[in-house]
């Protein structure tokens, strides 16, 4: 009888664990858009090869089991990660310090090291790693083979990373650089109701004008509001902004029309998409009204693919840029044409109208002067990013 009782208890325990696991899924709590890093943004001396780098990120929703993605998608040669660890960071980036006792080694198919070929993305094995909401997390990589001139990364991290010689763990005298390299995403095993919103954007989403190591982009402010709201507290925010990015042609990094399948649809747990691009297309050379038509075609394609996957898509009209060298009557006409379509076409599941929230009361075609970063009449300052995060209706993310 005791044997039967023990066997029954074991079976019931297995079924309970299996049922609990069956209701969970992977959701990205942090991710970044990547590109081949421009020469002036590449890793400084001593470089990556045979050295160690610690990078800080701030996640959104909490979790107890995590895995980390590393990317070599844009580099010309292979990279070798000899070992990697994840830990809770002591700050949001202003120091390299980690919280003692939180460091956990990462493995790849059970091994500490992995070589990643060009064009490839790898995911670590899941590990137990409890972290709260808006947690500061440090990812440390001890590199083997790795170029410092052909590197996959995210130039506009707005967060310091720390680089030392050798395979060590003492970063007290590290070289600082405000860029991310190779790290791509952190995912958590979450309950069924957890989900993510992912934003396709340019430098305004990337956070130009925000404060280094303070994590105060508009997406960060949106994340904090979502977490504080009972109905949206399990919604992660994934920032896929790239500085200087265009949807159609030119600009910095892969174009929006080429990168959206990866940056939007390959993120785990996505339920919502925000499309907030176009200013660099409209402000460049050529007829802005024709570019507006082409942007609309790309948006229609993204919306169609998203809806097939059950993902809602919200459009964000292009914000004002009068006063910037992007501005002309033709450029403004293109902006108005695109914005009118976003607001009234019916293609989107909702509209997030940053343009209406950020305008100068005396001249709606211009950004409100109190939100200007370096008076460039294009990028908001930290106060402006707060305003952008605050103007979003959280009901868009309740269902």
């Amino acid at each position: 009888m005791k044997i039967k009782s023990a066997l029954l208890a074991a079976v019931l325990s297995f079924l309970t664990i299996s049922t609990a696991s069956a209701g969970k899924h992977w959701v990205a709590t942090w991710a970044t858009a990547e590109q081949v890093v421009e020469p002036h943004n590449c890793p400084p001396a001593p470089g990556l090869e045979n050295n160690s780098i610690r990078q800080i990120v701030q996640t959104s929703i909490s979790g107890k089991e995590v895995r980390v993605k590393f990317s070599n998608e844009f580099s010309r040669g292979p990279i070798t990660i000899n070992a990697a660890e994840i830990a809770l960071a002591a700050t949001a980036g202003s120091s390299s310090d980690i919280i003692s006792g939180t460091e956990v080694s990462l493995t790849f198919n059970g091994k500490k090291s992995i070589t990643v070929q060009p064009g490839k993305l790898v995911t670590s094995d899941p590990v137990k790693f409890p972290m709260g909401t808006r947690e500061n997390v440090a990812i440390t990589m001890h590199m083997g083979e790795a170029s410092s001139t052909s590197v996959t990364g995210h130039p506009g991290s707005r967060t310091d990373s720390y680089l030392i010689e050798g395979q060590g763990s003492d970063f007290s005298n590290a070289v600082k650089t405000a860029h991310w390299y190779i790290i791509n995403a952190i995912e958590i095993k979450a309950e069924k109701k957890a989900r993510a919103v992912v934003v396709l954007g340019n430098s305004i989403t990337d956070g130009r004008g925000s404060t280094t190591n303070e994590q105060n982009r508009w997406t960060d402010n949106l994340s904090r509001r979502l977490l504080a709201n009972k109905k949206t507290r399990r919604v992660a925010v994934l920032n896929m902004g790239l500085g200087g990015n265009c949807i159609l042609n030119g600009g910095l990094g892969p174009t929006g029309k080429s990168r959206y399948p990866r940056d939007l649809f390959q993120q785990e747990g996505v339920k919502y998409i925000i499309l907030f691009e176009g200013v660099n297309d409209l402000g460049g050379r050529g007829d802005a009204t024709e570019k507006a038509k082409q942007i609309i075609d790309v948006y229609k394609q993204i919306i169609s693919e998203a809806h097939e996957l059950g993902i809602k898509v919200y459009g964000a009209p292009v914000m004002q840029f009068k006063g910037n060298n992007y501005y002309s009557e033709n450029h403004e006409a293109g902006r108005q044409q695109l914005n009118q379509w976003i607001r009234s076409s019916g293609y989107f599941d909702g509209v997030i109208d940053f343009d209406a929230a950020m305008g100068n009361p005396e001249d709606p075609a211009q950004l409100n002067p109190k939100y200007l970063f370096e008076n460039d009449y294009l990028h908001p300052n930290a106060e402006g990013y707060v305003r952008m995060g605050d103007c979003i209706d959280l009901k868009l993310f309740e269902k």
Side-chain angles (χ1 to χ4, degrees):
M1 291 293 292
K2 288 183 179 179
I3 293 175
K4 288 183 178 179
S5 297
L7 180 61
L8 178 61
V11 170
L12 290 173
S13 176
F14 173 78
L15 289 174
T16 300
I17 293 170
S18 297
T19 302
S21 297
K24 292 189 174 183
H25 65 144
W26 288 103
V27 179
T29 182
W30 172 84
T32 191
E34 292 185 309
Q35 63 179 81
V36 61
V37 178
E38 311 99 319
H40 65 283
N41 288 325
C42 281
L48 292 179
E49 189 163 56
N50 297 322
N51 296 321
S52 300
I53 183 169
R54 177 169 290 166
Q55 302 178 88
I56 313 296
V57 304
Q58 191 172 86
T59 61
S60 48
I61 59 176
S62 61
K64 296 181 180 179
E65 184 179 1
V66 308
R67 61 188 188 184
V68 182
K69 288 184 175 180
F70 300 88
S71 175
N72 193 32
E73 293 175 273
F74 297 98
S75 309
R76 291 192 298 270
I79 59 170
T80 297
I81 302 172
N82 291 332
E85 302 91 35
I86 187 170
L88 298 183
T91 70
S94 59
S95 82
S96 62
D97 297 339
I98 60 174
I99 297 175
S100 178
T102 66
E103 194 171 27
V104 176
S105 294
L106 298 173
T107 58
F108 307 88
N109 294 321
K111 299 179 180 179
K112 282 191 172 182
S113 66
I114 189 169
T115 295
V116 189
Q117 297 299 325
K120 299 298 182 180
L121 176 79
V122 298
T123 305
S124 71
D125 301 326
V127 294
K128 291 183 179 179
F129 182 71
M131 59 185 184
T133 58
R134 301 301 304 180
E135 192 76 84
N136 298 318
V137 173
I139 303 168
T140 305
M141 297 185 298
H142 307 283
M143 304 300 297
E145 180 181 11
S147 172
S148 287
T149 58
S150 176
V151 190
T152 298
H154 183 87
S157 64
R158 322 293 166 194
T159 310
D160 285 329
S161 297
Y162 298 85
L163 184 61
I164 60 170
E165 291 187 17
Q167 308 290 289
S169 58
D170 181 1
F171 286 82
S172 56
N173 293 312
V175 174
K176 291 197 298 185
T177 181
H179 311 293
W180 288 318
Y181 306 107
I182 302 168
I183 57 174
N184 178 268
I186 298 176
E187 299 169 349
I188 61 165
K189 199 65 170 292
E191 67 274 22
K192 188 175 181 180
K193 63 182 178 181
R195 54 211 186 273
V197 50
V198 58
V199 186
L200 189 75
N202 48 46
S203 59
I204 297 173
T205 295
D206 198 25
R208 178 168 173 76
S210 63
T211 313
T212 298
N213 297 327
E214 290 192 14
Q215 315 300 329
N216 57 359
R217 312 162 189 85
W218 71 261
T219 52
D220 296 309
N221 293 316
L222 170 61
S223 174
R224 294 183 181 98
R225 291 185 62 223
L226 290 169
L227 293 168
N229 180 46
K230 184 177 180 180
K231 293 184 178 180
T232 59
R233 63 185 181 84
R234 296 301 289 159
V235 178
V237 178
L238 310 178
N239 186 323
M240 291 293 151
L242 277 177
N245 197 234
C246 288
I247 296 176
L248 303 173
N249 299 291
L252 298 179
T255 61
K257 68 180 179 181
S258 68
R259 71 186 178 97
Y260 82 79
R262 176 186 59 254
D263 288 350
L264 299 181
F265 297 129
Q266 291 185 18
Q267 309 307 318
E268 294 287 350
V270 171
K271 179 64 178 177
Y272 320 98
I273 288 170
I274 298 173
L275 299 180
F276 182 40
E277 279 251 41
V279 68
N280 294 318
D281 298 88
L282 298 173
R285 295 179 180 178
D287 183 359
T289 59
E290 180 58 34
K291 289 181 181 179
K293 295 176 185 177
Q294 295 174 28
I295 292 169
I296 288 169
D297 288 339
V298 175
Y299 276 5
K300 285 179 179 178
Q301 181 65 30
I302 295 173
I303 294 166
S304 175
E305 293 180 27
H307 285 170
E308 288 180 4
L309 296 170
I311 298 172
K312 295 182 178 180
V313 186
Y314 303 131
V318 174
M319 292 197 319
Q320 305 86 338
F321 50 81
K322 184 179 179 180
N324 186 271
N325 60 12
Y326 275 178
Y327 184 83
S328 74
E329 289 186 2
N330 175 259
H331 293 153
E332 178 65 10
R335 185 178 80 91
Q336 293 294 345
Q337 181 178 329
L338 176 59
N339 288 356
Q340 176 65 20
W341 179 82
I342 290 171
R343 292 187 179 105
S344 63
S345 68
Y347 275 83
F348 289 97
D349 298 288
V351 174
I352 297 172
D353 206 332
F354 295 133
D355 175 61
M358 297 291 287
N360 183 344
E362 298 179 2
D363 187 351
Q366 192 172 68
L367 278 174
N368 191 319
K370 70 178 180 179
Y371 298 140
L372 289 179
F373 173 67
E374 295 183 345
N375 291 322
D376 71 355
Y377 289 92
L378 181 64
H379 298 96
N381 55 21
E383 184 181 355
Y385 286 129
V386 171
R387 172 61 179 152
M388 290 177 69
D390 285 349
C391 80
I392 300 171
D393 185 356
L394 298 188
K395 291 181 180 178
L396 295 172
F397 310 101
E398 290 182 358
K399 296 181 181 179

